[in-house]
Every structure is written in C-alpha cells, then in structure tokens.
Amino acid sequence: MTTRITSEQLRGIFPALATPVTADGQIDTQAVRALLDHLQGSGISGTVPLGGTGEYGALSRTERARMVAAVREHQSADLPVLAGVLDPGYHDAIASGQALADAGADALMVLTPYYTTPSQQGIRDYFLRYADASPLPVVIYEIPYRTRISIAPEVLHELSRHENIIGMKACNTDMYHFLKVVKGVDASFAVLSGEDTIFPAQMLCGAQGGIIVTANLLPKTWTRMYALLTSGQTQEALALHQELIGLLDLAFAETNPGPMKSVWDLVGVQAPHLLAPLVDCNPELSARLRQVLTAQLQAEHALA
C-alpha cells in the first residue's frame, strides 16, 4: 500500500535511478535489489525511478510498471518512490500515472508536455488538469534542454498552489530563472535541484534537496554534501562538490546513463546493458571513469 506523501518529505537526496535491464531489455530484479542494497543506509530520502536516467522512453509500459514494483518491493517502506511519467500527451501520461500508482509509486514526476511546443497557458492548463485527475501527488519535471521549452516562473508560482502539486525537479540551468521560481512558489511546494553539476548553487538559492544521477554511485557523498549545506558548512560542501567535477565530466561525457552503467559493477550492480537507441559507452571513457570512481569510492568509505 502506498503512503500519500507531502512536500515536507521532499527533502534531501533522491537518486535518479538508472534502470537495470537484462540483455533482452527486461527489468533485472536481482540487479534492482543490488542497487537498492547499495543505496539504503546511506542517508537518501527516497528514489526516482523512470526518469530520463531510467530510460523511460525505451522501456515498454509493462517494464516500467515492473521497475516501480521492484523498487517498491525492495526499498524501505519509509522511503518514498517518485516515479517518472515522461509521456508527451495528456491521455498517455494519465494512463501511465495510474499504472505506476498501481505498481506502488508514492508520487508522480510529470514531465513538461513536449514536441508540440505548447504555450505557457497550455502548460499551465495541462498540469492543472493532470493534478486534478492524478491518483498521486505530482512533482513537476522541468528540463528545457530536453523538451525545448521552459516553464515561466509565474506559471510555476500558480501551479505551486494546487493542493496535489507538491514540488518540482528543476533542471533549468538558468540560475536567474531559478531565483525567480523560488521567490514566488508556495510554502507548501518543494523545489528540488535536478542537476548534479550545479546542486550546491541551487541549494544555496532555495532548493530543498536534489534528484541526483551520480547518487546511484556515490550516495554517501551526496547525502554528506546535503548535510553540510543544510548545516551552514558551505565551504566544506563546495569543496566536496569540487572533488566530484572530474567524475561528473566523465559521467555526462556521453548520453546518460551509458557511462554510469558501464562502471556499475564497482558498486555491486551487474547490469551494464542499455536500451536502444543508446549504445555501449566508449571503452576509453569507461576506463577513465572507472579509475576516477574507484578513488571516489575509497574516499566515500571514509565518510562517517
């Protein structure tokens, strides 16, 4: 049974889960269990399966639901599951949301409608309509470098007041846009950083946490960074983030999650397979990432 979550639970680090699959493209439930074993106990606040990192568009509807069910089965009951809904159209997005709710999700991370390039009025109406019909609380997912459209701050301000819209994943790298968003959203609305690369900056400007890709690999490092930022130890947090820049450059040098999956075995996840149209990571890039990650894991083991 799912628990209806509120914005107060959208605090801390939520790994944006990559999807472990077998060679024939089905969910590898054993690898899902291994991934969650790696993440739990590190201080994470929940997980986010089926985002872009989770290869949503390449999975069948059946496998998407199987991924959420596997996460919900093996994840601690007190940690929420925020499942991505990345369909471009309303009716498919509603059907997907219901299926993921039935599979055990606690909230739905719903992507800005794309391809049609809607107006701001269209975006507003879409999310209001979705929130009215959604079986679960909604987290807005804004990522304009993928969808080709930003959500105007004033639209987000209005949406933030809807009782069933509890937060957003902010992947707009325009920091002035981010500042205007956090200035006017409702107190009941949680803004989460969606960018590993600028997470400390977004936290210092008003984010309550982050949905972080490389937390799949280094959850303790990211939860430590969050703890430093929320306790006022800004310089220590920035120094820790600086130590990750080399890893971040490599992890995102090719389309995510390709590089990350190529080194997953270092954290006990034996699932390197990608889904079409993604192809295996360049071996040289993977080798460099493996070297850097090995050093970072050694540093993470020293964290309290």
Side-chain angles (χ1 to χ4, degrees), residues 29 46 48 65 75 90 100 113 131 139 143 163-164 173 176 201 213 222-223 228 256 262 280 283 286 293-294 301:
T29 55
V48 183
Q75 184 168 301
Y90 175 80
L100 300 180
V139 174
I143 182 166
E163 64 180 2
N164 205 35
T173 57
Y176 187 49
V213 171
W222 283 102
T223 56
L228 290 169
N256 173 55
S262 76
D280 290 344
S286 180
L293 178 59
T294 298
H301 290 327

Side-chain angles (χ1 to χ4, degrees), residues 279-294:
V279 297
D280 290 344
C281 178
N282 178 284
E284 181 179 347
L285 171 61
S286 180
R288 291 165 59 203
L289 179 56
R290 181 172 296 273
Q291 183 179 20
V292 172
L293 178 59
T294 298

Side-chain angles (χ1 to χ4, degrees), residues 14-57:
F14 295 78
L17 299 183
T19 304
V21 294
T22 60
D24 60 357
Q26 296 186 346
I27 301 302
D28 186 335
T29 55
Q30 183 175 348
V32 173
R33 185 183 300 112
L35 175 59
L36 293 172
D37 286 345
H38 170 62
L39 296 175
Q40 296 184 118
S42 63
I44 63 168
S45 298
T47 59
V48 183
L50 301 181
T53 299
E55 298 175 90
Y56 183 96

Side-chain angles (χ1 to χ4, degrees), residues 112 119-128 140 142 150-162 165 168 177 180-181 184-186 189:
T112 311
S119 66
Q120 292 298 315
Q121 179 71 29
I123 293 171
R124 170 194 175 274
D125 292 351
Y126 177 88
F127 276 112
L128 290 175
I140 295 169
E142 188 202 21
S150 298
I151 307 177
E154 56 269 23
V155 171
L156 287 165
H157 298 165
E158 180 178 354
L159 294 174
S160 74
R161 295 191 287 273
H162 191 289
I165 300 177
M168 72 176 293
H177 177 275
K180 289 191 286 185
V181 169
V185 292
D186 194 81
F189 183 86

Side-chain angles (χ1 to χ4, degrees), residues 18 51-58 141 143 145-146 213-214 248-263 272-282 285-286 289:
T53 299
E55 298 175 90
Y56 183 96
Y141 183 13
I143 182 166
Y145 54 81
R146 291 292 182 93
V213 171
T214 54
L248 297 178
D249 283 346
L250 295 169
F252 297 111
E254 291 184 6
T255 302
N256 173 55
M260 185 168 66
K261 277 192 171 183
S262 76
V263 297
H273 304 291
L274 295 163
L275 297 165
L278 296 184
V279 297
D280 290 344
C281 178
N282 178 284
L285 171 61
S286 180
L289 179 56

Side-chain angles (χ1 to χ4, degrees), residues 6-262:
T6 68
S7 63
E8 290 301 314
Q9 292 167 270
L10 300 183
R11 302 287 189 274
I13 299 297
F14 295 78
L17 299 183
T19 304
V21 294
T22 60
D24 60 357
Q26 296 186 346
I27 301 302
D28 186 335
T29 55
Q30 183 175 348
V32 173
R33 185 183 300 112
L35 175 59
L36 293 172
D37 286 345
H38 170 62
L39 296 175
Q40 296 184 118
S42 63
I44 63 168
S45 298
T47 59
V48 183
L50 301 181
T53 299
E55 298 175 90
Y56 183 96
L59 290 165
S60 70
R61 291 185 179 275
T62 299
E63 294 308 300
R64 292 171 193 163
R66 287 190 65 222
M67 176 61 178
V68 169
V71 172
R72 183 68 282 168
E73 179 182 355
H74 298 298
Q75 184 168 301
S76 296
D78 60 332
L79 297 180
V81 176
L82 282 56
V85 174
L86 275 60
D87 303 84
Y90 175 80
H91 294 290
D92 281 346
I94 283 290
S96 294
Q98 185 61 63
L100 300 180
D102 293 342
D106 299 295
L108 301 173
M109 185 181 74
V110 181
L111 183 63
T112 311
Y114 57 96
Y115 187 75
T116 54
T117 314
S119 66
Q120 292 298 315
Q121 179 71 29
I123 293 171
R124 170 194 175 274
D125 292 351
Y126 177 88
F127 276 112
L128 290 175
R129 185 181 178 193
Y130 196 100
D132 285 342
S134 177
L136 295 173
V138 171
V139 174
I140 295 169
Y141 183 13
E142 188 202 21
I143 182 166
Y145 54 81
R146 291 292 182 93
T147 62
R148 297 189 302 115
I149 189 166
S150 298
I151 307 177
E154 56 269 23
V155 171
L156 287 165
H157 298 165
E158 180 178 354
L159 294 174
S160 74
R161 295 191 287 273
H162 191 289
E163 64 180 2
N164 205 35
I165 300 177
I166 63 172
M168 72 176 293
K169 178 184 179 182
C171 291
N172 193 327
T173 57
D174 180 342
M175 286 301 298
Y176 187 49
H177 177 275
F178 184 85
L179 287 167
K180 289 191 286 185
V181 169
V182 297
K183 180 179 185 293
V185 292
D186 194 81
S188 66
F189 183 86
V191 178
L192 297 174
S193 168
E195 294 292 317
D196 297 33
T197 52
I198 56 173
F199 170 75
Q202 290 183 317
M203 280 288 296
L204 292 171
C205 291
Q208 283 85 34
I211 298 173
I212 302 296
V213 171
T214 54
N216 282 267
L217 303 173
L218 297 164
K220 291 181 181 178
T221 300
W222 283 102
T223 56
R224 172 62 174 163
M225 194 185 308
Y226 172 80
L228 290 169
L229 287 163
T230 53
S231 64
Q233 300 178 75
T234 304
Q235 292 305 314
E236 293 88 341
L238 292 173
L240 185 57
H241 191 261
Q242 286 281 323
E243 293 172 8
L244 291 181
I245 286 179
L247 181 139
L248 297 178
D249 283 346
L250 295 169
F252 297 111
E254 291 184 6
T255 302
N256 173 55
M260 185 168 66
K261 277 192 171 183
S262 76

